[in-house]
Amino acid sequence: MKLELPIALPPISTWQHNENQWAVQHRLGTAKPFATNEALFDAFATWGLPDEGKRYVLRSRKESPTRRPNSYHGGNVKTFYNSRKMGKPIATESRNVEFPAVVRYDFDGVTHEFYCQPVQVAIPTVITRRRKEGEVCHYSHAVPYTPDILRLTKHGVFLEEWKTEDGLQELTDKHPNRFFKLSGTWHCPDREEYFGKMGITYCVRSSEDHPSLFCSNMQRLSSYLQSSSRQLSDDSLSAIQRIVDKVGAMSLAKLLEKAYHHDLPWKDDVILPTPSGEFTVDDVMKAIADQRLFIDLDNDDLTNPSSAVVCSSEIQLELMRWRRPPPHAVTDYFQMAVEIGSEFQFRGKAEVFVVTALPVGKVLYRDSAGKIFDQCSDVAFQKYLHENDIRLLSSPKTTDELLTRCQHISDEKVDKAHRRFELVTAIEQARLAGQSQPQHEYSTRTIQRHKSLMRDAGESRPMQMLALIPAASPGRGVQISEDTLTLIEEVVREGNNPQNPLVSKQFRDFLERARSRGISVCSKPTFYKRAAEFRDAISREGRRRAYAKEPAIWYLYRSDKVHGGWPFHRVHADHTKLDIRIKVKGFGGRIYRLRPWLTILIDETTRVVLAFYLASHPPSAVSCMMAIRSMVAMHHRVPDFFVLDNGADFRSHAFLRLCRLNNINIDYRPAHEARFGAVIERLFELTNTRLIHNLVGNTKALRYVRTLTRSVDPIRADHMSFIELHGLLEYFFFQEYNRETIHPAHDHTPEAYADLLFRQMGRRLERLRPYDMNFMLQTLIPASKGGTREIDPRMGG
């Protein structure tokens, strides 16, 4: 039976509607920052900005950011994004909320300048409080407030507050008069009024306003939008246009199949000219970035060429959008023309029939008395509906209404019904064949009752299975009163503190309070079961312990990429202390036995180990710089993003300066959430289990230090030298792991997969970095925090 599913697109906000219109009117990259103060004041005059608004904008341009992004402790990903338009790093507090907005404003054609965390203001707000006596009082208070982003656009000045949709909904529940959603647009009247007097438009923006693919596509094209990127030659552009102009629109994969490939390793920094009449993958990406080829950046994924469509002109792109069905259309309900349980009448007849089942190609129905069972094909049934020979009597049900009618049935009951059905079917087949009945544990009366239930259910097998599901066992329901439950919640929530009292003590407190208040008590097992519902692990044991108890996440969102983006898109860097002791010769020939530290750089998409640094000293900015030097020396390339933890070595001035000079963005992992860096954490575990734990001097025995004996003490082993361990790690990472291990993430060896992706996605020559003296100087550590160091006259340094 064909189900009629209407497409209901969710309403978009006013601000998202404006962004879509401006994207058509203004091409990417056409909005430039104000070159002079005169140009800025001319814009003030065009916007009609009052003096108060001018002062606010000028102060924000000078002082922003006025605060740091919520420190480095929290559940969000802090990002330092090197803005192409603003010419400096921009700090954002959330990768899924503020970061996509910053990327859009950096490349759009309407935003001249944008500033995160502009000047704080004090907004008069009416506060409502309820006293203990029940009296409600209202008073006005100037509430400090710092907006998220200030935008100077071709259409005026905008102040934006970005939050998740769930976060805005929580604000609505807490302050229904201050935050509300109207026709898909969020509003905050007091802030809108306050900034409106300055001539500034205040916007409450939701994470739902972000196109899921635009940010990813702009990161893919960012290398080709840099001023230093290679220009697209007229010959290559003509070769591309000759192919695309013939059809107007074609898949990106089909176009890339015709690209010319230089037979050069991606690690080689040699740049060869393209033959006449040919073009490369990088030329196609450059043409898209320069908008000489057109693509729907909001809905097409450049990392999935088979699904992306390139067009020869803006008109062809608009035509393609008309022809394309709405992407990822959603609906809150299913409007079913016919469903199980629908009642209908044939024209001219008084009998009422009920649909009992909808198997493939058929409609099974019976009369209301259960005496007539019949069927017809779904084609005939739809014909009757269109010709009004059948009149439906039951109204369409929403999905929520249908689910409300469905009682939860456990897996055990479903399995039992299936066994009953198979047994009754086998007994009936044996009776018809004149054979002996199969052995079973049921009585004759029980089998007769099961057969009766199947007959009453009709001829539909699903309906017969449902009829054989065991009925709910009789019982009196919940045996605990609401007062008892309230008291359990009160006692347990009081214990949600760092003292973390034992559940047995809380049970004793519960008994004392129950007796004093005259409330009936429950048993200890019941108390333990109910108390688990109100325990807060974060308040009791801290975030780290609560995070360790959380279940692993085994799903991806629709916008998540299974294997990341492209090679050198996101590179993870971290340190670990190896489970082995080695010997190191110090000053005067003294031998030191110590556990070394290992720093690793690994590509998220291809899982290639890009570089490592073995050190006898704890992690520092030196470890980071040496690992990056090794990566550039081997691959002549820098990544788009570093994914890092919140260690002080990754926040040092020298490291941030290196990233800024090489246009490398930084993502700081949420504090104390190791699973966010699972790519590199798994590599650490693999290194230990496959290599380190099989070497002389490994410290596995120290796991049980109380039972350790001299014979197996790793400190007394014949330790390897620093050079020997370094050579083994080099062979393990660059030969055994990169070239010989089939990685389960993509079923290739990491280097083979990197070769494949570079061939498909282009070499991105703009990310090449020569390993020369200039780069060596960039990776040096400053002498001291102040940039100076005292010279010892005797030692000379």
Side-chain angles (χ1 to χ4, degrees), residues 260-294:
Y260 175 81
H261 297 281
H262 294 287
D263 294 329
L264 282 175
W266 56 270
K267 298 180 182 181
D268 201 336
D269 57 356
V270 176
I271 301 175
L272 296 179
T274 305
S276 178
E278 300 286 349
F279 61 91
T280 64
V281 175
D282 290 299
D283 292 332
V284 175
M285 293 296 110
K286 181 63 176 176
I288 294 174
D290 292 345
Q291 292 182 291
R292 300 184 182 184
L293 284 180
F294 298 88

Side-chain angles (χ1 to χ4, degrees), residues 43 114 129 142 223 381 407 430 496 515 589 613 621 645 653 667:
F114 60 94
R129 290 288 184 268
S223 299
F381 197 89
Q407 184 181 4
N496 288 337
R515 293 191 184 99
Y613 177 69
D645 61 19
H653 174 74
D667 274 354

Side-chain angles (χ1 to χ4, degrees), residues 580-583 593-595 696-697 699 702 714-715 719-720:
I580 192 173
R581 289 187 179 274
I582 61 173
K583 56 185 178 184
R593 289 174 172 81
L594 48 82
R595 289 179 60 187
V696 175
T699 58
L702 294 178
I715 197 67
H719 299 111
M720 303 174 60

